[in-house]
């Protein structure tokens, strides 16, 4: 049975996994769910991923969640080109370190802004809650983007090396999404140059971002 | 040169790394820093880890941060017994999945409570900020511990298997620490039984927790 991928195209961790599959021409079947509509919390979906989050992958009866884990698993089980998740122990550790850093830095900044600016109005959160969350999100993003900027002033790719890795994919999907919920990479020229470079080097970037771009275009109308 | 480990014994990710080294009798030199005193933000320490967080590891000129990454790196580079970080692709993915889950679930709950109950009074945060953070922390911990409880009602170890992995070490250090900042695993009997079992099976558990226990004893006086 082909790989089964459960995702929401508007979720940046989902797009990261999809890009990895698309770039490597791996046959898979996509099951779309809407996070914002709560579809990931249905009883049916919790049979796939009890955590109730996307993305999730089913590989011939083996269910897996967490976008970084899924990316690591695909690289190793499908023997993707080395630059995605290097076999060299130290270079792999550099990629792992950025993936772990992502969770508690850049991603947390994004999550705070999503709470403030997307869920705030939908869920009628109090103004105090929204303000607190936005302030925290802005602070986390500032320190995260500054750290990326410094790193990318010395390296073309976030974990070093001469080609992009799964850490670049994960972080680029996050940075590209920031404007959707009120963040920005403006003022970080090396981050912006890196994102632009990746959006060209990743051949399926536009394909993976098609639904997001449709959504953004509909918002502008 | 022996491994150089930078840590704060009161930090749960630091203790997780230390336990892994101690359990495997790996010679290392410990450099203690105090997170709460801001010692991880000194210029000198940022030469070791520019992120300004502990733990950090230096392996003969190779600097590494992020506790989960350090644990993965040690397991692979020192060829630790397979149960810590299994070679089997699927079993390794299960361990990775729990490590990734830790970052955005259990750990986030702990971080919100640390903000409310430890940094709140020290940094004179507003009551609203403290209340918001505590509420969010309690909610995240409730869902995280419930998910662990369900998993541990079926498995002896969090990622399955018949011996503990680095995911068990990371999560156990977090759960054991919860009472320090106002959390608790009460009401989750399988989580508590798992923690008790691990604290016996991990031979150096008491050694790694010595400074924490001293600190707790001093607080009771």
């Amino acid at each position: 049975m082909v790989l089964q991928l459960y995702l929401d195209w508007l979720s940046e961790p989902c797009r990261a996994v999809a890009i990895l599959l698309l770039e490597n021409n791996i046959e898979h079947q996509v099951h779309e769910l809407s996070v914002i509509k709560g579809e990931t919390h249905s009883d049916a979906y919790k049979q796939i991923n009890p955590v109730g989050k996307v993305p999730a992958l089913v590989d011939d009866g083996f269910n897996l969640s967490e976008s970084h884990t899924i990316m690591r698993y695909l690289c190793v089980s499908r023997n993707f080109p080395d630059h995605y998740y290097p076999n060299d122990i130290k270079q792999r550790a550099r990629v792992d370190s950025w993936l772990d850093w992502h969770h508690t830095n850049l991603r947390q900044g994004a999550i705070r802004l999503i709470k403030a600016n997307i869920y705030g109005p939908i869920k009628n959160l109090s103004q105090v809650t929204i303000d607190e969350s936005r302030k925290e999100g802005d602070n986390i993003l500032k320190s995260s983007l500054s750290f990326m900027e410094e790193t990318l002033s010395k390296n073309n790719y976030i974990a070093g090396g001469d080609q992009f890795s799964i850490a670049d994919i994960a972080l680029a999907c996050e940075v590209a999404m920031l404007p959707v919920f009120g963040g920005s990479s403006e003022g970080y020229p090396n981050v912006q140059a890196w994102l632009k470079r990746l959006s060209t080097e990743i051949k399926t970037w536009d394909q993976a971002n098609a639904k997001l771009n449709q959504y953004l275009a509909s918002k502008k109308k």
Side-chain angles (χ1 to χ4, degrees), chain A:
Chain A
M1 196 179 189
V2 300
L3 286 172
Q4 305 290 310
L5 177 61
Y6 296 78
L7 59 64
D8 180 339
W9 285 110
L10 298 183
S11 144
E12 48 276 44
C14 290
R15 285 200 301 284
V17 170
I19 282 173
L20 186 64
L21 287 169
L22 292 169
E23 283 294 291
N24 290 282
N25 291 308
I26 302 295
E27 193 185 359
H28 62 284
Q29 186 176 0
V30 167
H31 303 264
E32 279 190 69
L33 295 101
S34 166
V35 172
I36 215 156
K37 288 183 188 163
E39 291 174 2
T40 55
H41 292 286
S42 72
D43 289 342
Y45 182 65
K46 286 199 171 173
Q47 297 293 313
I48 304 295
N49 179 11
V51 180
K53 291 183 180 175
V54 278
L57 184 82
V58 181
D59 181 11
D60 205 12
F62 179 61
N63 292 35
L64 202 55
S65 58
E66 296 293 336
S67 65
H68 296 172
T69 293
I70 293 171
M71 289 198 286
R72 289 182 180 105
Y73 172 77
L74 288 170
C75 289
V76 174
S77 67
R78 265 66 184 177
N79 204 19
F80 287 170
D82 195 67
H83 66 91
Y84 284 103
Y85 191 50
N87 275 300
D88 176 80
I89 292 175
K90 287 182 181 169
Q91 190 50 24
R92 178 170 291 192
R94 288 189 190 99
V95 172
D96 277 332
S97 183
W98 276 101
L99 289 172
D100 283 337
W101 176 89
H102 179 207
H103 280 302
T104 45
N105 293 276
L106 186 66
R107 179 90 188 122
Q108 287 309 312
I111 285 172
R112 307 314 292 171
L113 288 194
I114 291 168
K115 181 177 177 185
N117 300 333
I118 306 288
Y119 285 100
I122 293 174
K123 295 194 173 179
N124 276 322
L125 301 181
S126 73
Q127 195 57 45
V128 173
T129 300
I130 291 173
D131 291 345
E132 280 285 334
S133 198
R134 187 179 293 135
K135 185 177 141 196
E136 201 171 10
D138 285 340
N139 285 339
I140 297 172
L141 284 182
K142 193 176 168 187
S143 69
S144 298
L145 289 166
S146 299
F147 184 51
M148 289 179 69
E149 179 70 11
E150 196 192 327
T151 304
L152 292 166
S153 71
K154 299 172 208 150
N155 304 325
N156 277 341
Y157 302 99
I158 202 71
D162 54 10
Q163 278 182 281
F164 68 84
S165 72
I166 54 173
D168 291 286
I169 299 176
L171 294 176
C173 286
E174 199 76 71
V175 173
M177 187 76 172
L178 290 179
V180 177
F181 33 79
S184 171
S185 60
E186 273 180 42
Y188 303 94
N190 286 302
V191 172
Q192 294 193 320
W194 159 85
L195 183 59
K196 197 174 172 186
R197 193 163 57 245
L198 285 174
S199 70
T200 306
E201 292 178 9
I202 297 172
K203 304 277 178 264
T204 58
W205 181 265
D206 289 342
Q207 185 181 346
N209 285 283
K211 290 233 170 165
L212 172 63
N213 291 334
Q214 274 174 25
Y215 169 83
L216 291 175
S218 74
K219 285 279 171 188
K220 278 186 186 161
K221 279 176 191 167

